[in-house]
Amino acid sequence: MWNYIIRRLLWVPFLLLVVSFISFMLFRLGPGDPVLVILGNKYDPSSQSAQNLREELGLDKPLMVQFANYSVNFFQGDFGESYRYRGQSVRKLISAKMWISAQLSLAALVISTTIGIPLGFFIAHKQGGWQDPAIVTICLVVMSIPVMVFVPVLLWLLCLKNLWLPFWGGIPCSGWGGLFDQRIIVPALSMGLPGVAVFVRLMRASTLDVMKQDYIVTAHSKGLGPFVIDTRHVFRNAVIPIVTILSFSLAGLIGGAIITETIMGIPGIGRLAVQSVFDRDYPVIMAITLITAGFFAIANLLADITYALVDPRIRYR
Amino acid sequence: MTQNVKTEQEIKSFKTKGHIHRAFDRLIRKKLAVGCLVILGIIYLSGITVDWISPYGYTDQDYTQIRQSPNSSHWLGTDRAGRDVFTRVLWGIQNTLILTFVGMLTGGLILGVTMGLVSGYFGGYIDAIIQRTGEIVSSIPTFFLILIISATVRPRIIEFVRWVEDNSFLEGLVRGGIVDYFVISLSLVSFGWIGTARLVRGQILYLKETQFIDAARSIGVSTPNVLFRHLLPNAISPLIVTVTMGMGSMIGAEIFLSWIGLGIQPPRPSLGVMLWESGNISVIRTEPWLMFAPGSVAFLMVLAWNLLGDALNDVFNPRTY
């Protein structure tokens, strides 16, 4: 087990290195000269000030040297300086926004799981009845609504039509006010409700699988009540596979929701990523990509480890 | 002994329905699945035949008819530039149709299946390389990946297409939007292959230990034949389910790219661009049809693929339902 964990942990830095190499090359070979981004297009790339800046940023060195410098700095926690917001370190810029996105996604995840897991457990017991296909279909319907349609419609429905949520000076319910602010309701719902389908289907499948096991039959035959069987035997075992998807969703916290954040004007990481792509703010995009990739790799590992911890039958070599 | 040997004629007449045929029989008994097939058929057919059925051109502007609500001459109304929404939605469907099918065929099927077959069958370091590559690509969130690829690769491709235009008799390629198609397909392919590759690999790992593969190899069937004639057909049912379910996310990704401004460029119509133009609350209040038309088409397409995938899952895995 420990052997396995160590081997997997050693893989993470290597993965980050490859991801950073790919994205570094994509951006360096991609369009736009960073110097021009900073100075503006009016400047002549061969002028003295441009040359000076180029030297200052280390862009005059060979690509491989630049990459090596970048990776060494990155692993020391220094992500460089933003091209767009001069003088701001990328680390500072990102960490604040990442925290906002994480809160938002956490709220969304809570919505998806608290609705999805019990619902999936419930319809597994109603297999063959009308509830089962009906609920699965409804969840799929909600999942299939494009987010760029879902958010404005939710806003219209909750804020304007029914006035359930307050309407702030002209801009309804948009912006960011923290986890316990009313403005989180619409974005959290728009991110959480489509996710319900994932948890419902997963929970339904794993509950059905568990209910067919021999130990459930044993529990029935020794006279345990249905409630005890459900809570102590079925639910506990059925929820194991959910752990896997849960840790991936946790990693998704950092990625944020590009679409929702853009529409709702939430200053999160997704919106920052889109802005940086258009602004050619390479250090910021690189840092976001690398951090999310790192989180995914670790989430992957966590999923496998928790899997083994919760279910002792699973062994890794 | 000789009496037991059947003639070739008898064997042919004995042939039963194939696996796919039986699955299809079960599928068309499901009303919901048939409904999905019909909806997809109608939407895609109107997208294919848009040249003949669209009442206006997609950039035709009529300044006397700006922001008209749906009426007899403009079935889905007109937008803020006086263009017919119905026509633009149809062209948008065509773009989505071409892009998602190209993305799925090249990425999901050709690349993904080949990778999965090779990595599952040969194992060893080839398997390790392919799987690790997939892991690296999938560690970058999908939307980031397509964002980065389309942003960085687009200017290179524009340059290349310009060069082709200058050095050949082909003209109007850039204006015709071939760059957009290329960039979007590339971004869709970049993540589309991983799911199918993993799925096929898993199936192959299990199937290659079975006796009929041993038998095939022992009578000297060549490796490509073993892969494509013996292994692949046995892995086909989960593949169909995955591809069907993947179409929904492909459509979503395509719409996202045009929506964010990296896909199809206006004024050429696409569902994503139309949703971007109409995706705010003031449009919903004053001209709801601008959002309703492209939004409901996108929704119906994704929904139909998702429900179809669900039905196919039931059909191919009777165990779970």
Side-chain angles (χ1 to χ4, degrees):
Chain A
M1 183 75 189
W2 281 108
N3 209 338
Y4 173 80
I5 294 175
I6 289 166
R7 230 175 346 125
R8 288 285 299 269
L9 273 177
L10 287 178
W11 163 243
V12 174
F14 180 71
L15 178 133
L16 285 182
L17 206 65
V18 178
V19 172
S20 69
F21 183 73
I22 295 171
S23 46
F24 188 86
M25 283 301 155
L26 267 177
F27 285 119
R28 282 294 184 276
L29 301 177
D33 186 350
V35 174
L36 286 190
V37 174
I38 296 169
L39 291 177
N41 283 328
K42 283 178 202 146
Y43 273 82
D44 181 10
S46 55
S47 70
Q48 189 56 43
S49 52
Q51 294 291 357
N52 288 346
L53 189 64
R54 207 178 292 275
E55 245 168 66
E56 188 194 318
L57 295 172
L59 290 170
D60 52 341
K61 299 196 180 75
L63 263 182
M64 281 303 147
V65 178
Q66 286 183 38
F67 175 66
N69 281 341
Y70 182 83
S71 340
V72 169
N73 285 339
F74 184 87
F75 282 105
Q76 287 173 348
D78 175 15
F79 305 154
E81 192 183 296
S82 162
Y83 289 166
R84 171 79 200 281
Y85 307 99
R86 289 293 286 161
Q88 277 231 44
S89 76
V90 173
R91 191 176 163 171
K92 229 173 162 182
L93 199 68
I94 285 182
S95 53
K97 304 202 177 237
M98 206 164 257
W99 175 231
I100 291 178
S101 288
Q103 284 173 306
L104 179 60
S105 312
L106 195 68
L109 191 64
V110 168
I111 293 175
S112 325
T113 46
T114 46
I115 300 177
I117 292 178
L119 209 58
F121 190 65
F122 167 73
I123 60 173
H125 287 77
K126 301 282 178 189
Q127 202 192 7
W130 59 270
Q131 296 101 325
D132 179 17
I135 287 176
V136 170
T137 308
I138 291 172
C139 289
L140 281 176
V141 167
V142 175
M143 193 176 83
S144 306
I145 304 174
V147 186
M148 37 291 236
V149 177
F150 200 38
V151 177
V153 169
L154 262 183
L155 269 179
W156 176 75
L157 207 67
L158 295 178
C159 302
L160 272 182
K161 185 78 178 157
N162 295 312
L163 295 174
W164 284 332
L165 294 178
F167 190 98
W168 274 280
I171 312 156
C173 320
S174 64
W176 177 251
L179 195 54
F180 299 103
D181 191 276
Q182 275 166 317
R183 280 175 285 180
I184 203 175
I185 295 176
V186 171
L189 278 179
S190 74
M191 283 162 70
L193 288 181
V196 170
V198 178
F199 288 101
V200 164
R201 281 209 274 191
L202 224 77
M203 191 62 195
R204 175 180 175 272
S206 80
T207 309
L208 284 178
D209 208 41
V210 170
M211 289 202 299
K212 265 182 267 164
Q213 300 293 322
D214 287 342
Y215 56 82
I216 302 297
V217 179
T218 312
H220 274 292
S221 57
K222 73 179 183 186
L224 290 182
F227 180 76
V228 176
I229 294 177
D230 267 350
T231 47
R232 277 197 212 152
H233 298 267
V234 181
F235 188 80
R236 281 188 179 189
N237 285 299
V239 95
I240 293 175
I242 314 286
V243 172
T244 328
I245 194 102
L246 208 61
S247 70
F248 275 105
S249 309
L250 277 171
L253 293 184
I254 304 306
I258 296 179
I259 303 173
T260 310
E261 283 178 5
T262 308
I263 300 180
M264 297 294 296
I266 296 167
I269 207 82
R271 191 153 162 250
L272 180 69
V274 174
Q275 277 176 354
S276 324
V277 165
F278 284 113
D279 291 344
R280 314 242 167 277
D281 198 345
Y282 300 141
V284 176
I285 317 172
M286 291 273 299
I288 296 176
T289 315
L290 280 178
I291 291 172
T292 37
F295 266 99
F296 264 85
I298 291 170
N300 213 334
L301 176 63
L302 274 182
D304 287 347
I305 295 173
T306 34
Y307 218 67
L309 287 181
V310 191
D311 187 348
R313 285 171 302 176
I314 297 167
R315 292 260 177 277
Y316 293 114
R317 269 167 293 132
Chain B
M1 191 65 191
T2 45
Q3 282 157 341
N4 285 337
V5 177
K6 291 196 173 87
T7 63
E8 205 176 325
Q9 197 62 44
E10 273 174 321
I11 292 171
K12 270 183 185 161
S13 66
F14 186 67
K15 204 175 179 187
T16 53
K17 283 181 179 176
H19 175 59
I20 300 292
H21 195 146
R22 263 180 290 140
F24 186 73
D25 278 353
R26 257 178 285 164
L27 186 71
I28 56 171
R29 251 178 273 142
K30 288 173 172 281
K31 284 190 198 113
L32 201 60
V34 177
C36 291
L37 282 174
V38 171
I39 287 175
L40 284 178
I42 293 172
I43 291 179
Y44 283 148
L45 204 66
S46 58
I48 294 167
T49 57
V50 60
D51 261 334
W52 299 286
I53 62 171
S54 71
Y56 303 91
Y58 60 76
T59 49
D60 289 357
Q61 286 174 286
D62 184 350
Y63 293 118
T64 58
Q65 300 274 320
I66 288 173
R67 293 167 59 189
Q68 293 289 310
S69 56
N71 54 46
S72 57
S73 57
H74 296 282
W75 289 357
L76 291 174
T78 55
D79 64 6
R80 291 176 171 196
R83 296 171 298 193
D84 184 46
V85 174
F86 182 60
T87 309
R88 288 177 67 75
V89 166
L90 289 185
W91 281 101
I93 293 172
Q94 193 190 45
N95 281 333
T96 304
L97 170 87
I98 295 172
L99 288 167
T100 47
F101 271 79
V102 167
M104 195 41 109
L105 275 180
T106 52
L109 286 176
I110 298 176
L111 193 64
V113 167
T114 318
M115 290 288 199
L117 279 175
V118 168
S119 125
Y121 189 73
F122 295 107
Y125 72 95
I126 300 178
D127 179 34
I129 289 173
I130 293 177
Q131 289 309 307
R132 291 296 93 84
T133 314
E135 206 172 299
I136 285 166
V137 176
S138 63
S139 73
I140 307 173
T142 315
F143 279 165
F144 274 22
L145 189 69
I146 54 183
L147 205 65
I148 291 168
I149 288 183
S150 49
T152 52
V153 171
R154 171 184 288 280
R156 298 279 150 186
I157 294 179
I158 292 180
E159 266 171 39
F160 174 71
V161 174
R162 289 245 162 81
W163 178 82
V164 170
E165 272 183 354
D166 291 345
N167 292 286
S168 69
F169 55 87
L170 296 166
E171 267 177 36
L173 287 177
V174 173
R175 212 153 27 95
I178 198 164
V179 178
D180 298 344
Y181 283 132
F182 214 86
V183 171
I184 300 175
S185 315
L186 201 70
S187 327
L188 294 182
V189 166
S190 67
F191 76 95
W193 65 275
I194 302 166
T196 42
R198 282 198 184 141
L199 177 96
V200 171
R201 173 179 177 268
Q203 294 283 316
I204 299 307
L205 280 182
Y206 156 72
L207 284 171
K208 77 173 179 184
E209 304 299 332
T210 51
Q211 282 185 338
F212 72 93
I213 297 299
D214 278 346
R217 251 177 297 182
S218 67
I219 59 170
V221 178
S222 68
T223 307
N225 255 340
V226 170
L227 282 177
F228 288 100
R229 291 199 47 193
H230 295 275
L231 284 172
L232 190 58
N234 283 290
I236 204 85
S237 20
L239 189 64
I240 291 176
V241 175
T242 316
V243 165
T244 312
M245 290 191 167
M247 280 305 285
S249 54
M250 277 266 170
I251 293 171
E254 190 271 326
I255 290 175
F256 164 75
L257 262 185
S258 303
W259 182 83
I260 208 91
L262 290 166
I264 305 270
Q265 301 297 318
R268 294 187 325 104
S270 93
L271 297 175
V273 173
M274 295 177 77
L275 286 175
W276 170 254
E277 286 165 353
S278 63
N280 59 64
I281 200 154
S282 66
V283 172
I284 293 190
R285 280 168 88 188
T286 52
E287 301 112 23
W289 61 89
L290 285 185
M291 164 160 264
F292 174 77
S296 55
V297 168
F299 164 67
L300 278 178
M301 271 198 283
V302 177
L303 177 68
W305 279 113
N306 280 342
L307 287 177
L308 197 62
D310 207 47
L312 279 170
N313 195 19
D314 289 349
V315 164
F316 280 121
N317 308 316
R319 198 170 52 86
T320 57
Y321 105 107

